[in-house]
Each structure stands twice: as structure tokens, then as C-alpha cells.
Amino acid sequence: MKQRYEALTRDLDWEPSYVAKSDVFPHTEFEGIKIHDWSKWEDPFRLTVDAYTKYQAEKDKRLYAVLDGFAQSQGHLTLTEASYLNAMKLFLQGVTPLEYQAHRNFAYLARHLNGPGPRFAALCQSIDEMRHTQTEIHTLSNYNKYYGGFHNYLEQHDRVWYLSVPKSFFDDALTAGPFEFLIAIGFSFEYLLTNLLFVPFMSGASFNGDLPTMTFGFSAQSDESRHMTLGLEAIKFLLEQDEANVPIVQAWIDKWFWRGYRVTALVAQMLDYMLPRKVMSWKEAFELYFEEQMLGGLFQDLAFYGITPPKHVDDAIAEKEILSHQVYWTLYQFSHAAAFTTTFPDADAQTWLAENYPGTFDKLYKPLWDKEARNLENGGRHFVRGLPQLCQVCQIPMLFTEPDDPTTLCQRESVHNGEKFQTCSNGCQWIFEREPEKYVQAWLPVHQIYQGNCGGPTVPDVLAWYGIQEGDGGEYKGSVDDTNWKSWHNAADHSHIGSEA
Amino acid sequence: MRITAPGRLVITRESVEERLGREWETHEFQLAIVSYFGHIKEWDDDEIVIAWDH
Ligand SMILES: [Fe+2]
Ligand SMILES: [Fe+2]
Ligand SMILES: [Zn+2]
């Protein structure tokens, strides 16, 4: 394996003789990272093209067999409930386009990194990410035949307010240099946060009867072991090459931990509120996949190089029992402008929330839902008709609270060139002030609406521009999905009785 | 199924082949793994080692 890898990967590289190396690889110096010996980059997988294609083909074959079986047997009717698919709408709209962007940028790294080892690893990852894009679209397209919210995810990713959260996160990484991208996506996203981001979606799928998503998830996650390794090798390589790289890498970890962590706010509410059958709470997932595995394992190892845990990690830990509640409460009130539905958490759901969040749910969030229950009794399910202020960095509505006080909204203000900019947290403010020239350019959906760039001045104008149709968003109960679901199941029950008679 | 080990986890081709009763390449492990945590230190024809460096 070792010799084959050497022969098929590293030995295919050559030294340029009539052009300068810096002309062939012009992008690997401007970030200030110093590399002395590219051959020191380890790729423990020792993957060669033939082995790569053989196993990837096998993975695809297995997945598509499951997809066919599910479609042919009307498998969508065996989900726990149609409302489960809200998690998948969010995934298709918010995550799948990121896979494609990852494909693009790893293709760039496959051309622009100086060493043949990391170039080949980046090439494999680039092809993997294309595969993820395709398999996710194929898997979820089956639901698009029967349910709302799946039909315009690409355009929505570029336009809709809550999707600017993942989109701007990835755009931030794409517009960084190659080494910062490696730390941003390869390390922070693919290693530090990957289990926290993907395992909840896949476990949610398996708990709610969504075999196709579970299968594409496992299929994609099996590539993720290579991606995690690339991210970890990248950081170790940079830290080992030159001591001067350490403070640069540390600042990137500080930035990208917080950027990525803010995106996982969407996962937090999905786990605690969107799944009809719950898997684990956000708090539990955060404790296992982040606190135990990353702080307790990874950062112990990185301490050897002088790397410390990310700068604002304590703020993240401090909000693990309030995050999902605050985010869902906001999405609940704005889902009339979303391509997914939300609904009131019923008695069982609230009992589960109280059990999993003994310190916060009953005290802080149940009173909000009690008030909403009275609204519902009086026929007044409420939506917020105004537009929220967005954080200049993470682009999430300013819904977070002060680190030490869950009853006071957190709002940080910075001035740049005489203009005021608002951020949602210490982490986002620190990121803004480190690179204000970058973040003042943010395409903030609410500002864009006010500037007249989003289809028109009224809510229906904007929703039409978003490509949101009747049945895509709003309240789940009584929605098109809910009504269809009930009628399909009633019809199924009748035919069952009929066939027995 | 979740497997954990303190500090170091080794998967050897021999022991997998013994249990499966057939030939097994270590690359095949990629088809079975859905998530991992740790550091893949070695991956060759005979074994996969997951262990921290420091
Ligand atoms: Fe991916
Ligand atoms: Fe990936
Ligand atoms: Zn923010």
C-alpha cells in the first residue's frame, strides 16, 4: 500500500525547471504561513485513484439500491410524521449547497497546494463533496414529489434570510486564502464541528423512519473520516513547519470555531423542536461531540504545539441550555417567511424539553409557550410582521442573550469609518473588529429588503422573490403537508380494512 | 454501534478476517465507518491505528 501510494501519488510530481515554483503556486505565501518542507505532509489513508474509485462506486451502489426500494414502496408514508421533513428541508436548503461550494474550493486546493500529497487528498475530497451534493439532491428529490419546501432550494440558498447564515459562513471561507480555508473548513468545520453538525441529522433520520437520508448520511460520513483526517493533518503540518505559524493558526481557530458554532444554532433547534421522535437533546450532543471529544481529547493533543481552546468557547458552553429554545422561538414567529413550517410544541414535547433542560425550560421558555397557547385558543397563532435586525457577522437575527443573563438581549456595537455595525455576541464582535473591511460588505437579507433589492416592499413581494409558494412555510397544523399526510393515511387505513374484508 | 478505547485503538486485518471468515482489505473499513473521533495515525495493509500523537 505504501509503495503503491508513493508510486501513484508522490512520484507523479515533478520539479518545474523553466518556471519558478512561486509562479506555479502563487497563492501559498501571502497569508504569512511558512512551509519549509511539503514532503512532511502525512496522508495516513494512502489512497490511490484505483482504490478510491472502487470504494466510492460501492458506496453509491448501496445508496441507490436503498433509494429505489424506498421510492417503489412509497416509503415516505412510513415516516413518523410529515413535519419531520422540516429538518430535511433545512438540510437541503442550508447544507447541500455548501457541499457544492466545498467541492469547488477543494478543487482549487487540489491545484494550488505545493505538495503532491495534500493536492491528491484535496482532489479526493473535492470529488467526495460533489458526490455529497448529488446524492443529497437525489435522495431528497423523492420527497419533493409529495411535500412542500424542497422545490427551490438553490435559489433560496442565495436569497432567503435564514439561509444567509450558512451561505455567508461558507462564502467567508471561500474568500479566505488557501491555508485559512483549510483551518476554516478542513479543520474547524470538518473536524471540530462535523459530528455535532451531521450526526444529529442522520440520527434524526434514522429515528423518524427516513431510511434514504440515514443511508446518504452514513455514505457521506464514511468520506468524512478522510476529511477529518485531512483537516487534522493540515493543522499539525502547519504547526510543525514553523513556530511563526502558531499564532496565525490560533487566530483562525478562534475565528472559525465561533463562525461554525453559530451555524450549528440551526442544528440545535432542529434536534430539540423539529423532530417528532427525539434522538438526544442539543445539550447532550454538545457535551458529547464538543466538550468531551474536542475539548477533552483534541485540544489536549494540540496543547503540545501551544494551541489553546478557541477564544469564545466559554460563551458557547454557557448557552448550551438556552440556545435551541431561543432559536426555535424566533423561527416559530418568522416561519411565514420560510420554506419550512413550525408548530407549537405539544404537551409531550414540552415534557421532554423540561426533562432535558431542567434548569431553563420551565423557568424561561414554558411561560412563552403558555402565552402562545392562550393566543392559539383565541384563534391567534402569531407571526412577527416586522423584520429582525441581523448580526453583521453570523447574520442570525439578534436573538441571543448576554452570557451571564438569559433575560437580557445581547447587542454589541462597533464603529467603522463612522458607521455603526451590530453583532450578536462577543465572538461575532471580535471577528468583526478583526477584519471590519470584510464584514462591512456582508449581504444582509433584511438590509437588502429595505434597499429594495428583494422583489418589492411587501411580504408577498419578497416571498415571491424567494420562490416560496403556498404550502412551503407558515404553521404546520392545517398546512398542505399536514392535510395531505392525513388524507393519505386515512386512505391507506381504508384500503387496509377493505383488503381484509 | 460505538467503540471507544482510551488513548489507542488498533484494527488489524487478521482479526477482522478471522471474524468475517473472508479476505478483507483495510481500505474496506471506509465502507463501515460512519463517524470517528481521534487521530488516524497509521493505515496500511495490515492495520489501522487510531491514536493521539501527544
Ligand atoms: Fe460533504
Ligand atoms: Fe466533508
Ligand atoms: Zn453573530
Side-chain angles (χ1 to χ4, degrees), chain A residues 15 37 83 96 109 255 349 490:
Chain A
E15 285 295 316
D37 183 0
S83 69
T96 300
L109 295 184
K255 169 182 172 183
N490 286 336

Side-chain angles (χ1 to χ4, degrees), chain A residues 99-158:
Chain A
E99 305 270 20
Y100 184 71
Q101 298 293 14
H103 152 72
R104 289 180 60 213
N105 215 81
F106 278 100
Y108 160 81
L109 295 184
R111 161 63 185 83
H112 279 282
L113 295 178
N114 301 48
R119 277 209 305 277
F120 186 68
L123 179 65
C124 290
Q125 180 157 351
S126 174
I127 302 170
D128 290 341
E129 302 297 3
M130 178 61 104
R131 187 177 90 86
H132 299 172
T133 314
Q134 291 172 337
T135 53
E136 286 163 21
I137 294 168
H138 286 153
T139 303
L140 295 171
S141 71
N142 182 47
Y143 295 122
N144 181 44
K145 293 180 195 156
Y146 308 103
Y147 302 91
F150 287 104
H151 57 90
N152 193 33
Y153 60 97
L154 279 179
E155 195 172 56
Q156 284 164 354
H157 186 74
D158 287 339

Side-chain angles (χ1 to χ4, degrees), chain A residues 200-375:
Chain A
F201 272 111
M202 300 324 145
S203 311
S206 97
F207 271 58
N208 287 278
D210 186 359
L211 188 65
T213 297
M214 189 189 94
T215 313
F216 93 56
F218 286 167
S219 187
Q221 281 293 107
S222 69
D223 298 345
E224 229 50 50
S225 57
R226 263 185 290 110
H227 304 178
M228 289 174 79
T229 303
L230 176 67
L232 197 54
E233 289 309 328
I235 194 168
K236 290 189 175 218
F237 175 70
L238 297 188
L239 295 171
E240 278 166 13
Q241 280 294 307
D242 199 301
E243 238 179 289
N245 294 340
V246 176
I248 304 177
V249 169
Q250 178 73 54
W252 286 338
I253 293 174
D254 292 345
K255 169 182 172 183
W256 287 99
F257 159 71
W258 191 259
R259 291 291 275 124
Y261 166 70
R262 269 292 180 247
V263 175
T264 66
L266 291 170
V267 182
Q269 63 81 33
M270 185 279 292
L271 264 181
D272 287 346
Y273 286 89
M274 280 187 168
L275 298 178
R277 200 165 155 229
K278 311 281 190 231
V279 179
M280 63 179 359
S281 68
W282 166 256
K283 175 174 173 261
E284 216 182 321
F286 185 84
E287 285 171 349
L288 171 63
Y289 296 123
F290 188 73
E291 287 186 86
E292 190 185 318
Q293 295 189 342
M294 298 305 155
L295 295 180
L298 169 71
F299 279 97
Q300 306 293 321
D301 191 60
L302 293 178
F304 171 82
Y305 303 99
I307 290 292
T308 55
K311 209 180 186 74
H312 295 97
V313 73
D314 289 337
D315 288 351
I317 295 170
E319 67 182 26
K320 69 184 172 191
E321 291 182 56
I322 59 177
L323 179 72
S324 64
H325 314 291
Q326 295 181 335
V327 176
Y328 187 75
W329 177 244
T330 303
L331 292 181
Y332 176 81
Q333 298 171 84
F334 282 98
S335 65
H336 60 296
F340 58 81
T341 59
T342 56
T343 198
F344 182 86
D346 64 16
D348 284 352
Q350 290 202 32
T351 305
W352 183 88
L353 288 164
E355 277 166 10
N356 281 278
Y357 294 95
T360 53
F361 184 76
D362 280 344
K363 189 164 150 245
L364 296 165
Y365 307 107
K366 193 171 182 301
L368 299 174
W369 294 113
D370 287 345
K371 202 172 149 198
E372 181 63 358
R374 291 193 293 276
N375 288 338

